Amino acid sequence: MAKTVRVELSGSGFKRITMLPLNEESINTLKDHDMNAEEAFSDVWDQVWSEDAGQLMDYIFAHAYSEIGLDVIDDDTDEELYSEDYEINPSYGLMSLEDAEENYEGDEEGLADYRTYLDSECTDDYGLYICNGIKQAWFGLKKNEVYGADFIPVAMQKSLAASGAQQALLMGIEESEQITTSFYIQLPDEDEFDPSKLDFINIDEDYGDYSDVLQELLAEDLVTLNAIIYDGIIYFAGHDMIDISDDSDEEPIFDYVDENISHVE
């Protein structure tokens, strides 16, 4: 028998990029705002929300090696099973298998461990564009179709394609208020949650070929909080599993992008 536990990761200073796919109606809304992404964003957000609120795409990132809140709750009884301050300490910097073979040349054990990391099993993506995109990008690492440098842009590209759109609006911001992301993990009834089994997808790259939103928000040592790894299994979090407590004091940045997540002139 198994039990479901809710793993909540919370903190301030998280980075958030919201991507809104553009259909014919929302492109017309953008035109009504003279193609100004910032001015059109709120109206387009309302359109996406009214069509399917769960498909809103909020990409959440935390600084690697930072301290966050970690709370684990029995999802059936709401009993708190674990609650501590937790330091994000990812096991690896993200690499394709090809890059890992070069990085671990002469270190067969290190390469085998990284292969095991890439072999982490993906759970249900809930039919959500954002989770589907991350899952596809993850699979691409083992095929050498995706690299650490383009993992996040490819995940966004795949998410946008899953939505059926070829263009999008982006809004990026550093959240001054608390964000909580929740993941639903299956544990055998007799097992307790073990924080040492928790791992992350760690990206430290430059995004000069992509939108300024990515360049300004993500060109740091970060982990995604839309996916976590626990005991070799990847769990996902979409819009309904992300709680943003209040508006940030920081100024957002906006962009209008194409299917490559590059600025549209």
Side-chain angles (χ1 to χ4, degrees):
M1 297 291 291
K3 61 188 175 186
T4 301
V5 299
R6 187 171 70 252
V7 177
E8 297 182 347
L9 304 177
S10 58
S12 58
F14 290 174
K15 308 294 187 76
R16 173 167 64 103
I17 295 179
T18 299
M19 182 167 72
L20 303 178
L22 296 175
N23 58 21
E24 183 176 353
E25 180 184 4
S26 48
I27 287 175
N28 287 333
T29 299
L30 182 60
K31 290 177 180 177
D32 290 341
H33 289 278
D34 298 321
M35 310 306 287
N36 185 303
E38 180 175 359
E39 292 183 5
F41 192 86
S42 178
D43 287 344
V44 174
W45 191 97
D46 288 343
Q47 289 172 355
V48 174
W49 184 86
S50 66
E51 290 167 7
D52 190 344
Q55 289 289 12
L56 285 163
M57 289 186 265
D58 290 312
Y59 295 85
I60 308 296
F61 304 87
H63 289 279
Y65 311 105
S66 63
E67 193 172 87
I68 61 174
L70 169 59
D71 296 281
V72 181
I73 298 104
D74 187 306
D75 196 51
D76 291 326
T77 66
D78 279 334
E79 177 188 359
E80 184 177 83
L81 305 175
Y82 184 93
S83 181
E84 294 288 345
D85 291 335
Y86 174 85
E87 182 178 305
I88 297 173
N89 190 12
S91 297
Y92 301 99
L94 196 64
M95 297 173 281
S96 67
L97 181 56
E98 180 180 56
D99 286 342
E101 289 170 345
E102 180 178 342
N103 184 70
Y104 289 105
E105 186 175 3
D107 180 2
E108 293 185 7
E109 183 178 352
L111 179 59
D113 288 344
Y114 190 73
R115 283 180 180 271
T116 299
Y117 174 77
L118 286 186
D119 284 338
S120 296
E121 175 188 350
C122 290
T123 56
D124 187 6
D125 60 18
Y126 306 108
L128 297 178
Y129 305 143
I130 186 170
C131 302
N132 178 272
I134 294 170
K135 180 185 287 189
Q136 289 191 61
W138 181 262
F139 290 153
L141 292 166
K142 289 189 286 187
K143 300 177 182 178
N144 300 311
E145 298 170 352
V146 178
Y147 297 86
D150 62 2
F151 180 82
I152 293 302
V154 169
M156 289 182 168
Q157 291 163 11
K158 299 294 187 182
S159 300
L160 188 60
S163 77
Q166 295 181 317
Q167 298 176 323
L169 296 185
L170 298 183
M171 186 279 291
I173 193 166
E174 181 171 345
E175 296 286 355
S176 60
E177 303 301 315
Q178 179 168 292
I179 286 183
T180 300
T181 60
S182 298
F183 300 86
Y184 293 85
I185 290 178
Q186 298 295 313
L187 291 181
D189 278 339
E190 67 276 11
D191 283 8
E192 295 183 358
F193 178 83
D194 182 354
S196 70
K197 294 182 178 181
L198 189 60
D199 211 341
F200 297 87
I201 299 174
N202 174 216
I203 310 104
D204 186 8
E205 302 291 347
D206 182 34
Y207 297 94
D209 295 332
Y210 300 98
S211 166
D212 286 349
V213 174
L214 274 67
Q215 293 177 49
E216 293 192 29
L217 267 290
L218 303 186
E220 300 181 49
D221 196 358
L222 301 169
V223 299
T224 175
L225 290 186
N226 293 101
I228 60 171
I229 303 171
Y230 183 81
D231 199 17
I233 300 175
I234 300 179
Y235 297 86
F236 297 98
H239 178 74
D240 290 340
M241 303 166 210
I242 300 166
D243 180 38
I244 303 171
S245 62
D246 207 346
D247 293 335
S248 178
D249 294 332
E250 303 297 327
E251 288 295 321
I253 54 176
F254 298 86
D255 201 6
Y256 168 37
V257 300
D258 61 18
E259 69 271 18
N260 297 315
I261 318 300
S262 298
H263 175 70
V264 176
E265 296 292 345

